[in-house]
Amino acid sequence: MASEDITKLAESLAKTSVGGGQLSFKGQSLKLNTAEDAEDVIKQIEEFDGLEALRLEGNTVGVEAAKVIAKALEKKSELKRCHWSDMFTGRLRSEIPPALISLGDALIAAGAQLVELDLSDNAFGPDGVRGFEALLKSPACYTLQELKLNNCGMGIGGGKILAAALKECHRKSSAQGKPLALKIFVAGRNRLENDGATALAEAFGIIGTLEEVHMPQNGINHPGITALAQAFAINPLLKVINLNDNTFTEKGAVAMADTLKALRQIEVINFGDCLVRSKGAVAIADAVKEGLHKLKELNLSFCEIKRDAALTVAEAIEDKTELEKLDLNGNCLGEEVCEQLHEILEGFNMASVLGSLSDDEGEEDDDEEEEEDEDEEEEEEEEQQQLKERGAEEQESLTPKKIIDSQASTPVPSPPVDVATFLAFPSPEKLLRLGPKCSVLIAQQTDTSDVEKVVTTLLRISSVFKDEAPVKTAVHETTDALMKKAFSSATFNSDAFISNLLVHMGLLKSEEKIKTVPSLYGILMTLNHMVQQDYFPKSLAPVLSAFVTKPNRALDSCSFARHMLLQTLHQL
């Protein structure tokens, strides 16, 4: 270790905070790669009597350093709080699981009884969950009250592993006479989607002691929302529900409204940017009106709520004396309705609770309302089509038992899929059913002299990306075949391609009105693969990096994928 590095480390450690049983190295940007790098950290841990909380946020800990820090923790049986968010900055994903395993094994060996575990902002993906799976199942977590895993990129696979670990922890702790009593669960920005959310909902239903659930920006649609609603109904102590930036639609909103009627302790409801729409908003308003006397905050912003529904929501809060904030910003109200909202709340002497309406979208006409109904019908038709394609195993959970029994001996064959069908209504199942030649077929049937068609096809392929191996491999192989063909063509304009792609991603403005993709997760993860291939022109990397680095709301909701891509681009 160079002398200047030692000096810098010493200066950082001089800022170390000690007090109330807590040892903090928070935000010191320590680069702990080797055992030698971690010597001073280890010394302070070993010399700290009665260590109850260890803060390692804002540093970067490698595998070797984690091993020696773990050794020091093996004697710290009083440790209760592990604030270990953002402690693997710049590390390869493959480094994180072994580091977490070392630290987890140490806590188990020490006989620690954790109250809080915070591993947020560590981009470890599904494999990283395996790194602390054993810890979650161990006696060290039987006493866990707060679990924070925000922005970790767990994906569906990681969500299922986590759910299974929580259920096992509850089973084992119950056998000891003290069931796991988790109070706070945080897992925003993890792309859990319906399957991950449904798995966690099952765990929540078993636990039954939750007080706060924060799961914003997870790509959850109404099936996952409905599963969560059913689980929340058997967690009577719930005070805070934050599901911001998922997609309820009317079905999910109605299911959640039914649950809210059964809950008595709710203080904060954050369903902002959840597309509850007018019918969903009315259902939620009914739940608020019937009870929820402790409600302090209701967020239904950016939900495509229209005039009458918004007024119904306002009227529902008349007797909510604890209410501090009502957020209806970004809906489709119009100036007249905004004034009416103020008048209604002034009549209740509650005008101060109404948040800003500066981003109101304006009142929509009847044609647009009809369009919304048509959109809902199309969504339902597409869902039904997807259900038909999932095969007998998944159908079983959705079909009445008598029908299953009568059909058990007659398996229903999956309808055939061709390239046109996949590109018109892309899904992971359809891509896999195209077979091993899917990459060749799609590349052959795409006119790579047309930049717009190449971009559209790439976006359709990437939209079905999942962390599950078969789907990920199919997406990568199909992308490679398409883009290798395009970039190798002498007539293909690479600059026009990247500009067109950025427009469709909503990262570059266009004079023409172009519909941007609803989620950037798939294309960001696909680009992360693409930029590493020989066919990708390295001259495009700085352009891509510049636009992905810029602040953008759509990118913020896919921070794990964005981080992965920027890290790869930086290494090129």
Side-chain angles (χ1 to χ4, degrees), residues 392 396 401-412:
E396 216 168 284
K401 191 175 187 301
K402 288 180 182 177
I403 297 174
I404 292 169
D405 291 342
S406 68
Q407 294 178 343
S409 59
T410 315
V412 180

Side-chain angles (χ1 to χ4, degrees), residues 458 476 479-480 483 487 497-498 501 523-545 548 561 564-572:
L458 175 63
H476 287 172
T479 298
D480 289 343
M483 298 315 303
F487 285 125
F497 164 78
I498 201 72
L501 180 62
I523 186 60
L524 289 172
M525 294 300 285
T526 303
L527 283 169
N528 184 53
H529 168 79
M530 262 178 64
V531 299
Q532 299 177 64
Q533 309 310 309
D534 292 338
Y535 61 73
F536 186 81
K538 297 299 180 272
S539 60
L540 299 182
V543 179
L544 191 56
S545 181
V548 176
M564 292 292 292
L565 176 57
L566 287 174
Q567 192 173 46
T568 301
L569 288 168
H570 182 70
Q571 292 169 356
L572 290 177

Side-chain angles (χ1 to χ4, degrees), residues 394-453:
E394 284 195 22
Q395 287 268 3
E396 216 168 284
S397 65
L398 301 167
T399 310
K401 191 175 187 301
K402 288 180 182 177
I403 297 174
I404 292 169
D405 291 342
S406 68
Q407 294 178 343
S409 59
T410 315
V412 180
S414 298
V417 174
D418 57 20
V419 171
T421 304
F422 167 72
L423 292 177
F425 300 101
S427 73
E429 294 81 9
K430 289 195 187 88
L431 182 62
L432 294 176
R433 291 218 320 272
L434 280 171
K437 293 185 178 180
C438 64
S439 57
V440 177
L441 292 171
I442 290 175
Q444 283 177 346
Q445 295 184 39
T446 303
D447 180 4
T448 51
S449 65
D450 187 333
V451 167
E452 177 69 28
K453 284 184 179 176

Side-chain angles (χ1 to χ4, degrees), residues 103-368:
L103 294 166
D105 287 349
L107 297 176
I108 297 168
Q113 293 185 311
L114 296 184
V115 172
E116 179 179 0
L117 177 62
D118 186 355
L119 291 169
S120 299
D121 300 314
N122 290 310
F124 46 59
D127 293 340
V129 185
R130 294 284 188 202
F132 60 94
E133 180 185 15
L135 173 63
L136 278 181
K137 294 178 179 179
S138 77
C141 284
Y142 290 178
T143 49
L144 196 64
Q145 294 179 14
E146 301 179 31
L147 179 58
K148 300 173 182 178
L149 299 165
N150 202 54
N151 191 31
C152 293
M154 290 189 289
I156 295 170
K160 289 180 176 179
I161 297 166
L162 175 62
L166 288 172
K167 287 191 288 185
E168 182 71 358
C169 180
H170 187 272
R171 185 187 68 79
K172 288 182 174 179
S173 57
S174 297
Q176 297 292 320
K178 292 184 178 180
L180 171 68
L182 192 66
K183 294 181 179 180
I184 298 174
F185 180 83
V186 181
R189 297 184 177 183
N190 272 293
R191 293 302 305 178
L192 294 168
E193 301 183 20
N194 290 332
D195 290 349
T198 301
L200 284 166
E202 189 178 333
F204 296 162
I206 292 169
I207 293 167
T209 55
L210 288 165
E211 295 180 11
E212 295 185 23
V213 176
H214 302 263
M215 295 173 66
Q217 297 181 358
N218 269 298
I220 308 170
N221 299 325
H222 79 77
I225 296 297
T226 300
L228 288 171
Q230 291 167 351
F232 292 165
I234 42 183
N235 279 266
L237 302 177
L238 264 175
K239 296 178 181 178
V240 178
I241 302 176
N242 176 7
L243 293 173
N244 190 285
D245 201 5
N246 289 292
T247 307
F248 282 41
T249 62
E250 182 189 344
K251 286 184 179 179
V254 169
M256 195 61 71
D258 288 342
T259 285
L260 290 174
K261 291 176 183 177
L263 299 174
R264 295 286 176 265
Q265 306 301 320
I266 290 291
E267 296 178 3
V268 177
I269 298 171
N270 186 345
F271 298 158
D273 208 6
C274 281
L275 204 66
V276 303
R277 292 181 174 150
S278 294
K279 291 177 182 176
V282 169
I284 292 167
D286 288 344
V288 171
K289 191 170 186 176
E290 286 184 23
L292 305 188
H293 295 293
K294 296 183 180 181
L295 189 65
K296 293 181 179 178
E297 181 177 336
L298 175 59
N299 184 346
L300 294 174
S301 60
F302 299 93
C303 280
E304 293 190 7
I305 299 170
K306 298 185 178 67
R307 173 199 171 104
D308 293 342
L311 297 176
T312 302
V313 171
E315 288 164 356
I317 67 167
E318 180 178 2
D319 63 345
K320 303 298 173 278
T321 56
E322 300 293 316
L323 195 72
E324 298 170 2
K325 185 176 181 182
L326 170 63
D327 193 345
L328 290 169
N329 199 17
N331 286 300
C332 313
L333 309 180
E335 190 175 335
E336 185 183 334
V337 178
C338 290
E339 288 176 6
Q340 283 182 272
L341 285 173
H342 281 287
E343 288 171 7
I344 289 171
L345 294 175
E346 279 175 4
F348 302 154
N349 197 26
M350 296 175 71
S352 62
V353 307
L354 185 62
S356 168
L357 297 171
S358 60
D359 292 320
D360 183 63
E361 295 288 336
E363 190 171 5
E364 291 188 358
D365 57 31
D366 293 339
D367 290 342
E368 287 172 317

Side-chain angles (χ1 to χ4, degrees), residues 55 102 147 159 270 368 376 393 398 486 512-513 553:
R55 307 195 77 107
S102 295
L147 179 58
N270 186 345
E368 287 172 317
E376 287 183 352
E393 190 175 329
L398 301 167
E512 299 175 20
K513 192 174 182 181
R553 188 179 175 190

